[in-house]
Amino acid sequence: MYIYAVANEQEVNEIVVGRPAGHQTPWTGRRSVHRLPNGAVGAFWRDQKPDGGPIRPLILVVPEEEHRRLFGRFAQLRGDLSPLSAWCHLLTPKQFGNLDETTRAAELNGYEAAWTGLVVAEASLVAQRPVSKLKLAACLATQTYAVARTNGLWGSLPLRDILERYDAAHQLFRVGEPSTVRVRASLEAVWDALSAASSADALGTNASLRAVVRALRTLRESRKEKDVDEAEALYGALNELSEADLLLRLTRISPEMRVKEFDKLVAVLEHEISHERSARWHSLVFLTAYLATVAAGGQPSLRLAEDVSARIPELAAWAYLIGGVGERVVWTSSFDGLGRLVARELTRPLHFDEAPTCDFGLEEALTLVDRQLSDSLVYLKIKQLRVVSVSLLPGVNISISYTEGMREAAPEPIESAPRLSNPPRLDRNVLSSLADALFPYFEARLDHTRNRYGGRKQQKSGTARRAPSLHPKLPIEGSEGD
Amino acid sequence: LSRWKSTLAGGALEFAAENRIPTYDALFVDEAQDLMPEEVALLKAWSPNLFFVGDDRQKIYSHSEGLNAVRTLSPVPIERFLPFHYRMAPEICEMADRIQVAEGGRALSATSHYKGPQPGRIRVHGPLTRHEQIERAGEALHDQLRVYAGLIEQGDRLAVVVPRQDDRDLVLDTLEENASLVGKSKIIRARSGEVEDREYDPSFNRDQPIAILTEQGSKGLEFRAVHWLFCDEAHWRKAETYYTVVTRAKTRLDIYHGSDLPGMLAKAYSPPAGDLW
């Protein structure tokens, strides 16, 4: 059984150290929650064990107007318990009032794989690296992850609100925009369309996106029904686009011809790239991206979209997304094994009877950051080396590169160090951190060196040094039989 | 080559009498149709448990009677027919069936469970000069590297098949002149056994997904797309050789010739139907 208590300042002090206090009632869901009086905080815990041990507050329900006072008070007077959001969920009265259970499912309505693809696409676009070089933290740092996770746990909040929170979290660590913002303009329409497709009502969708929302839903239904000619079904959703005729003859076009059709569509997009983002533009990008997902004779050739991603980033984003539409099995090794990890985080239920997994919540951090101090983050007590996890909303935890942030926040450009006759010895930990931070940049060069090592001359004549074999010998990997 | 193989195997068999042959619990042997009877006997001496896989339609060495030799082993081996395959698109199967049909009439096209890229396609290009043939193949390879990039990542390869060993160098040099194909090709061949060849690595390489190899060297391999160059320049082929090269392609086969298309291929190739009107 769970207890909900309305507590004043003094009673909150008791509750956070494990002593029940305040006006307590058994919690039976949203009907048992009452309006909080001014200055009061709600507290939620599992009922005391028979042994009389301390109760552990699971949720503090804090009205927005109480944030500054509550968080500041604990930071100043009970620093041992601050930040509160590191060990206890902080909810607004509205969020708590909507709870019926202590577990909140992350529901993306069958578009989990599509969102996963979009997260990976954004991480790849931002890092300008192939998927095989991406790490999970890069995916959990994306705007798409924040949007998808918020949609999954808390319904469709306005996109602007989510992005404001995302930016505010980055502002805690750095001056200037996070690197992910570079692709924001290209992805906003994609987020809008996918959010609309996965919600029950698409009427509120921007009119210029209605065709692609219809196309997404058609594609999903078609794949769900295992329609052998999904391209023809898709034509029904995109038939206002003259180029969509291609869909009607797609099954008869060989992969080599499909790549030529793809190039033609890209040429049209590049011609129209300076125009306003109209319904035609969005449909054309969708069509081109769809073609990339079936270019290899029904199988994806995402490299086609990646190759033009510097000019048309949304093309790669759509291609990664479309490949996942209709796919319900999200635990495969898609995206070089990254797909299942991202999907796992996107769909992870939020358990309020477990401690949060973030380092701290955004609302509390905004209160505790003190720009007047030399270490403005001192009250947040960051104990992670390079990446911190910040909760934008309960359960919506994004990764932020902390080292990078501090570097970007450096006020002055670094000048060449003067040569010293007796240079000081660097601390081993500093060197270790430096090596870790630099390694991703070396990694690509090391790969390049390895590739050069297996150059053509040696392969032809066989007299050069032998390259280390990075791949299995005969038969070919993935052989389908002889 | 057949004589050399027989001599080598016969010589090795003499070690058996002196108990100098290592033994194995079991041996799995592929491409058994091209074994010489002496080689089958040698394998029998090596292990009491043998598992052979072979297809007489892919027999490319003269005088090899591998499957018949296997059938005469004692005790008589258990023989099973593989009733289906997954490798080739129906279009490739149909052409292969017009070259040779398996014993018992089981056509490749009737037993195909292919689920790969579609549609499969076969094209014949010619007459073209040798240089034009390589250039034309290079253009197609450029597109195929792009469109099959994902499959290449997963292990698929593209092939240029030529009749003679010298042709491989010509093809490699010409493809290397194509800016979009620089560093993408590799000659795949057997090691020669010479000291200076010891460092040659015949394994496939994902960064060099275009394999250049001879018709004989292509046996046992499979490629998403095959470009068969100079196919009219060799006159020693048997039906099995045509069949073997055609069936190396999983989805796309391009055949290039300088004069007349060899009769066997002309008979087997069915040009795509154009519009009637």
Side-chain angles (χ1 to χ4, degrees):
Chain A
M1 189 173 77
Y2 294 94
I3 302 294
Y4 175 68
V6 176
N8 61 26
E9 207 167 80
Q10 193 57 44
E11 289 162 343
V12 169
N13 292 347
E14 295 292 312
I15 290 169
V16 293
V17 293
R19 290 191 284 270
H23 177 68
Q24 300 166 41
T25 51
W27 180 78
T28 55
R30 63 181 76 188
R31 280 165 306 197
S32 57
V33 178
H34 304 289
R35 190 184 169 84
L36 284 169
N38 280 346
V41 166
F44 176 86
W45 66 83
R46 193 193 294 272
D47 197 11
Q48 205 168 10
K49 290 177 185 170
D51 64 5
I55 55 118
R56 177 182 175 130
L58 300 170
I59 300 173
L60 290 180
V61 184
V62 190
E64 207 170 313
E65 59 275 16
E66 295 296 326
H67 282 175
R68 178 161 289 278
R69 181 174 172 77
L70 180 75
F71 303 147
R73 188 163 65 84
F74 272 89
Q76 295 294 333
L77 303 176
R78 289 302 304 268
D80 55 328
L81 293 168
S82 177
L84 297 167
S85 51
W87 57 271
C88 169
H89 297 281
L90 299 178
L91 267 62
T92 63
K94 187 179 174 191
Q95 287 166 342
F96 187 72
N98 284 330
L99 287 190
D100 269 326
E101 298 173 52
T102 55
T103 296
R104 196 167 178 91
E107 185 52 69
L108 290 168
N109 299 315
Y111 286 90
E112 293 82 0
W115 279 110
T116 299
L118 191 51
V119 167
V120 174
E122 186 189 334
S124 177
L125 287 169
V126 169
Q128 295 178 313
R129 286 172 184 219
V131 170
S132 60
K133 304 273 183 206
L134 290 179
K135 301 285 184 267
L136 178 62
C139 296
L140 304 187
T142 58
Q143 301 160 100
T144 305
Y145 179 76
V147 174
R149 185 75 177 148
T150 304
N151 281 356
L153 280 174
W154 299 104
S156 292
L157 263 70
L159 185 58
R160 196 191 315 156
D161 290 359
I162 303 169
L163 296 177
E164 275 175 9
R165 285 173 175 274
Y166 181 90
D167 290 343
H170 281 82
Q171 287 299 327
L172 296 171
F173 297 93
R174 68 189 74 198
V175 178
E177 292 180 328
S179 52
T180 44
V181 168
R182 187 167 51 78
V183 296
R184 181 176 294 176
S186 306
L187 297 185
E188 273 179 331
V190 190
W191 294 325
D192 270 339
L194 187 53
S195 298
S198 50
S199 72
D201 177 23
L203 290 178
T205 314
N206 179 342
S208 68
L209 291 173
R210 288 207 180 121
V212 291
V213 172
R214 203 165 53 234
L216 275 172
R217 287 181 169 167
T218 302
L219 199 55
R220 179 167 176 256
E221 284 307 304
S222 188
R223 288 176 179 174
K224 197 170 141 192
E225 301 296 323
K226 301 198 185 306
D227 185 351
V228 289
D229 199 354
E230 66 177 31
E232 203 170 316
L234 201 54
Y235 175 75
L238 295 173
N239 58 13
E240 288 175 18
L241 190 69
S242 58
E243 289 84 352
D245 289 353
L246 165 72
L247 294 168
L248 297 176
R249 50 192 167 85
L250 193 61
T251 54
R252 300 192 300 277
I253 303 176
S254 69
E256 289 79 2
M257 288 308 295
R258 289 181 193 199
V259 78
K260 292 190 189 311
E261 295 288 348
F262 177 86
D263 288 344
K264 281 187 211 164
L265 290 173
V266 168
V268 175
L269 282 170
E270 290 188 321
H271 179 68
E272 298 184 12
I273 202 162
S274 57
H275 299 182
E276 193 185 341
R277 295 295 185 253
S278 59
R280 171 178 161 73
W281 167 269
H282 295 306
S283 297
L284 199 55
V285 176
F286 187 100
L287 175 67
T288 313
Y290 174 75
L291 187 55
T293 66
V294 294
Q299 298 188 31
S301 198
L302 298 178
R303 182 76 65 81
L304 294 176
E306 289 165 3
D307 287 347
V308 291
S309 64
R311 306 189 302 272
I312 315 172
E314 53 267 61
L315 195 55
W318 272 117
Y320 276 62
L321 181 168
I322 289 170
V325 171
E327 181 57 71
R328 298 304 299 261
V329 179
V330 293
W331 48 92
T332 64
S333 61
S334 59
F335 302 117
D336 207 36
L338 200 54
R340 62 177 148 225
L341 302 181
V342 174
R344 187 183 68 188
E345 297 307 318
L346 279 177
T347 56
R348 188 184 291 284
L350 174 57
H351 298 290
F352 288 106
D353 51 2
E354 292 174 3
T357 52
C358 63
D359 290 294
F360 46 80
L362 174 65
E363 313 287 4
E364 189 172 19
L366 289 172
T367 302
L368 297 187
V369 164
D370 189 342
R371 300 281 180 208
Q372 307 300 318
L373 300 176
S374 59
D375 179 2
S376 60
L377 307 175
V378 65
Y379 290 118
L380 296 177
K381 302 188 178 99
I382 296 171
K383 294 299 167 202
Q384 306 274 15
L385 186 58
R386 286 185 295 277
V387 177
V388 290
S389 175
V390 182
S391 161
L392 303 186
L393 288 163
V396 183
N397 303 339
I398 60 161
S399 300
I400 297 180
S401 171
Y402 176 53
T403 311
E404 183 191 350
M406 297 312 284
R407 179 171 54 77
E408 287 183 12
E412 297 294 333
I414 299 168
E415 294 176 4
S416 307
R419 292 190 178 188
L420 300 177
S421 53
N422 292 309
R425 288 170 64 86
L426 285 173
D427 182 80
R428 274 182 73 85
N429 290 337
V430 174
L431 283 173
S432 169
S433 301
L434 188 63
D436 282 346
L438 289 174
F439 184 69
Y441 300 96
F442 288 131
E443 195 177 16
R445 293 188 185 194
L446 285 171
D447 286 349
H448 179 66
T449 307
R450 270 201 292 267
N451 289 340
R452 286 185 59 192
Y453 201 38
R456 176 209 151 193
K457 287 278 181 204
Q458 115 204 15
Q459 305 294 357
K460 182 182 171 185
S461 66
T463 54
R465 276 188 306 169
R466 182 173 181 172
S469 178
L470 301 175
H471 304 289
K473 303 214 172 176
L474 299 175
I476 305 172
E477 308 168 57
S479 163
E480 291 155 10
D482 188 22
Chain B
L1 182 61
S2 301
R3 204 161 42 239
W4 178 77
K5 281 172 37 140
S6 294
T7 307
L8 201 63
L13 256 178
E14 289 172 13
F15 289 124
E18 302 166 28
N19 288 330
R20 289 168 63 189
I21 286 188
T23 55
Y24 301 92
D25 290 340
L27 283 175
F28 293 79
V29 185
D30 198 4
E31 307 289 345
Q33 76 278 357
D34 274 320
L35 292 173
M36 308 303 293
E38 292 84 352
E39 290 175 312
V40 173
L42 181 62
L43 290 164
K44 173 73 176 160
W46 267 339
S47 175
N49 298 303
L50 296 166
F51 186 95
F52 292 95
V53 181
D55 177 4
D56 269 331
R57 288 168 296 179
Q58 299 183 42
K59 193 165 66 177
I60 60 168
Y61 295 109
S62 48
H63 311 300
S64 54
E65 287 296 332
L67 291 183
N68 284 338
V70 169
R71 289 184 184 111
T72 59
L73 286 173
S74 176
V76 178
I78 300 164
E79 192 166 351
R80 294 273 183 270
F81 289 96
L82 192 65
F84 49 79
H85 66 93
Y86 297 91
R87 189 167 80 195
M88 286 166 285
E91 294 82 358
I92 308 279
C93 295
E94 284 162 15
M95 181 166 182
D97 287 336
R98 286 192 283 269
I99 296 171
Q100 280 201 102
V101 173
E103 208 178 307
R106 285 180 304 275
L108 275 178
S109 48
T111 55
S112 172
H113 288 209
Y114 175 79
K115 296 272 188 280
Q118 287 178 326
R121 189 80 32 116
I122 301 165
R123 286 286 181 269
V124 171
H125 311 267
L128 298 168
T129 66
R130 303 189 101 219
H131 190 261
E132 285 170 342
Q133 291 181 45
I134 305 174
E135 291 273 301
R136 184 77 66 90
E139 288 166 18
L141 284 164
H142 168 70
D143 287 341
Q144 287 166 346
L145 283 177
R146 293 179 64 210
V147 78
Y148 294 127
L151 294 172
I152 287 169
E153 283 281 314
Q154 295 167 35
D156 260 353
R157 298 291 176 262
L158 311 173
V160 180
V161 176
V162 291
R164 290 171 296 259
Q165 294 180 2
D166 291 348
D167 297 330
R168 297 181 304 207
D169 287 336
L170 171 69
V171 171
L172 180 61
D173 289 339
T174 311
L175 292 184
E176 288 294 310
E177 287 167 11
N178 183 331
S180 66
L181 298 177
V182 173
K184 302 287 184 194
S185 310
K186 176 180 176 180
I187 289 175
I188 300 290
R189 59 174 172 82
R191 288 200 184 99
S192 70
E194 302 296 327
V195 174
E196 63 268 24
D197 201 37
R198 277 189 194 153
E199 300 301 315
Y200 170 70
D201 178 3
S203 63
F204 285 103
N205 178 345
R206 186 161 54 180
D207 297 325
Q208 294 169 304
I210 303 171
I212 303 169
L213 62 179
T214 60
E215 293 165 7
Q216 298 220 338
S218 72
K219 191 184 77 152
L221 302 177
E222 60 183 32
F223 302 94
R224 185 55 62 195
V226 168
H227 297 267
W228 189 0
L229 301 182
F230 322 135
C231 77
D232 52 325
E233 294 183 18
H235 304 287
W236 57 78
R237 295 190 199 99
K238 305 180 295 176
E240 287 87 345
T241 311
Y242 288 106
Y243 180 91
T244 299
V245 178
V246 166
T247 54
R248 296 312 91 198
K250 294 198 276 189
T251 304
R252 172 87 187 203
L253 173 64
D254 287 272
I255 301 170
Y256 303 78
H257 59 101
S259 54
D260 291 335
L261 191 63
M264 183 74 76
L265 290 177
K267 196 177 68 175
Y269 173 60
S270 169
D275 288 336
L276 284 175
W277 324 112

